[in-house]
Structure formats: C-alpha cells, structure tokens
C-alpha cells in the first residue's frame, strides 16, 4: 500500500462501521424501561449506528459489483449487500418498538468513505475497498461484543447477535481478497484520528421524509433476527414510553 492510501485512511478512519463514541459520561444510563428490558443510551446508539452502517456499506457493496475488478472483491460486495439488507430489516423492525428514530443518511465520516471509493477505479478501487472495509469492521468487532455482553434488552441482544455474525463474515471476505495491508489496517484501528462528534453522527431524518429501505438481493442468504420468541403474540409494536427518539451517537 502506498502513501496515498495511508493519507486517505488517516483522514477518514475511525473505529466505526457502527462506530460508537460516548455522547455522555454515562452510556449505561437507562433511558426507558421496556417490555424487552431496560434500554440504555449505548443500546439506542447501537441500533442507530447499525442502521447508519448499512446506509453506506450497502451502496458501497452495489458499487463494488460494478467497479470491482477482482473476483474476490465482487464476492465481498455481494456479502455487503446481502448482510446489510438483513441487518436493516431488523433495525427497522425494532426501532419503532423501542421508540428510536433511525437516520436516512450515514454520518459525514461514512459519506467520506463512499466519496473516496466513488473516485477510485480499477485496482485502486479494489485495494481501497478491501482496506477501508476491513479496518472499519475490525474496529467495531469488540464493540459489538461489549453490547452483546452488557445489554439487558432482548431486542438489542438479538440485533447484536446478528451484527456479530455479519461483521465477522465481512471481515473474512475482505481478508480473502488478499489485498488487506494488515500492518496499516491494524494501526488505523488502534490509533484513529480524533474527529468532531458532528463528523461521526448520522443526521436525523427530515420531517416527513420516507424511510430509506435497503432492499435484499434476489436470492438472499442472510436473514433478519428472529424476534418471534421476544415480541409475544401481539408483535410488541407499541413504542415504549420514555425511550428517546434522538439518534444521538458520537
């Protein structure tokens, strides 16, 4: 990998496919008591950020299907589209149950990833695609584990289970491209530049704006989380009082 790629990652990289940063000093503060268990700030932020991740990785996967030159990049692109469509379905199902408003756009930082890859072509696209996505997925892997191990909300646990499997799969297919520079990628994971919160926060949707839906591919292999054992006979679709709808996350 050359110096240009290092500059790109240094400018854009931060531990976020889902990229949680603290918005308060008490991320474990309970903001709502729901029938599925207490909902904390970090639980809410996790749901928002899983949604935001799909809003940039899904179109990047579609881009890879058109611009990728290596067969392994094409395969990885299919996994991005498939995995994030399924995650998005789960997010859109549980968000109203927990009274969480989802964004329709990724964060400015994530939009920067998309812009970078739009500008690339040929082998540079393949290389940047594999390294940016391996870095972002690797950086969030431990965060998903933390959410899964600490949340008391069964809906958030189900999403974390699905996200864990999806992120591991996406890390693996990026590695199988043979294009990942591990020294540089791991350095970017562990020593990210400090960016303002405004760069890391997906904007709230405009009033009255239709919800963006990430459509599954014709023959999906990933499935949304099974919530049937958690929601009860009524489906549990009523928002729980007190849950904050603000998609605030660092």
């Amino acid at each position: 990998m050359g110096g240009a790629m290092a500059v790109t990652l240094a400018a854009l990289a931060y531990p976020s496919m889902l990229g949680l940063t603290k918005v308060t000093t008490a991320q474990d503060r309970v903001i709502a008591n729901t029938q599925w268990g207490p909902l904390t700030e970090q639980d809410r932020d996790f749901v928002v950020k899983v949604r935001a991740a799909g809003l940039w990785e899904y179109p990047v996967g579609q881009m890879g299907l058109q611009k990728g030159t290596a067969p392994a990049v094409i395969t990885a692109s299919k996994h991005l589209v498939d995995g994030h469509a399924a995650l998005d379905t789960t997010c859109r199902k549980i968000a109203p149950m927990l009274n969480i408003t989802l964004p329709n756009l990724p964060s400015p930082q994530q939009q920067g990833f998309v812009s970078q890859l739009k500008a690339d072509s040929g082998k540079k696209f393949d290389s940047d695609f594999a390294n940016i996505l391996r870095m972002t997925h690797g950086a969030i892997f431990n965060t998903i584990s933390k959410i899964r191990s600490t949340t008391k909300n069964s809906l958030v646990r189900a999403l974390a289970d699905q996200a864990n499997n999806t992120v591991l799969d996406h890390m693996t297919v990026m590695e199988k491209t043979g294009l990942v520079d591990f020294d540089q990628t791991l350095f970017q994971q562990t020593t990210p530049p400090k960016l303002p919160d405004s760069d890391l926060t997906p904007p709230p949707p405009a009033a009255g704006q239709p919800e963006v839906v990430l459509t599954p591919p014709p023959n999906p292999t990933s499935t949304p989380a099974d919530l049937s054992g958690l929601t009860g006979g009524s489906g549990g679709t009523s928002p729980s009082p007190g849950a904050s709808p603000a998609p605030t996350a660092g």
Side-chain angles (χ1 to χ4, degrees):
M1 300 291 295
M5 182 61 189
V7 170
T8 297
L9 286 179
L12 298 175
Y14 189 83
S16 64
M17 180 193 76
L18 316 176
L20 303 176
T21 60
K22 290 186 177 180
V23 296
T24 73
T25 56
Q27 278 273 283
D28 59 350
R29 180 176 70 88
V30 174
I31 58 175
N33 288 303
T34 80
Q35 68 188 82
W36 303 279
L39 183 76
T40 65
E41 288 193 10
Q42 64 186 2
D43 291 338
R44 177 194 59 199
D45 294 348
F46 180 71
V47 176
V48 169
K49 289 299 188 176
V50 172
R51 163 72 167 178
L55 292 173
W56 79 273
E57 292 191 29
Y58 181 94
V60 162
Q62 293 180 315
M63 193 188 308
L65 292 175
Q66 299 297 319
K67 297 176 67 172
T69 66
V73 170
I74 302 297
T75 296
S77 298
K78 292 178 180 178
H79 281 241
L80 287 179
V81 171
D82 184 78
H84 281 290
L87 277 174
D88 189 67
T89 297
T90 302
C91 284
R92 289 185 293 103
K93 185 171 184 178
I94 71 173
M97 297 163 71
L98 298 173
N99 200 25
I100 297 172
T101 298
L102 296 177
N104 272 336
L105 290 172
S107 70
Q109 179 226 28
Q110 292 166 334
Q111 293 178 45
F113 291 138
V114 177
S115 296
Q116 170 65 29
L117 291 168
K118 278 184 178 179
D120 286 348
S121 60
K123 292 183 178 180
K124 178 169 174 52
F125 173 85
D126 290 351
S127 180
D128 286 359
F129 173 93
N131 280 274
I132 290 173
L133 287 159
R134 174 55 179 84
M135 180 271 298
T136 54
H137 285 78
I140 197 59
F141 202 47
N142 289 335
T143 300
I144 296 172
S145 176
K146 178 183 177 182
I147 293 291
R148 177 59 181 83
S149 65
T150 61
T151 184
K152 297 178 182 178
N153 188 283
S154 60
L155 295 181
V156 176
R157 274 199 299 276
L159 178 63
D161 283 341
Q162 184 185 354
N164 184 75
N165 293 336
T166 301
V167 169
L168 179 58
D169 173 67
H170 291 176
M171 287 171 60
T172 302
V173 293
M174 295 308 156
E175 293 163 356
K176 286 183 177 179
T177 65
L179 299 172
V180 175
D181 181 332
F182 281 94
D183 287 341
Q184 181 175 280
T185 297
L186 296 179
F187 175 79
Q188 294 296 335
Q189 281 181 208
T190 55
T191 56
K194 293 182 178 180
L195 298 176
D197 286 352
S198 59
D199 284 355
L200 305 173
T201 305
Q209 185 179 54
E211 185 177 61
V212 172
V213 175
L214 305 184
T215 306
N219 298 298
T221 59
S222 297
T223 57
D226 181 5
L227 306 179
S228 59
L230 306 177
T231 59
S234 65
T237 56
S238 299
S240 55
S244 171
T248 52

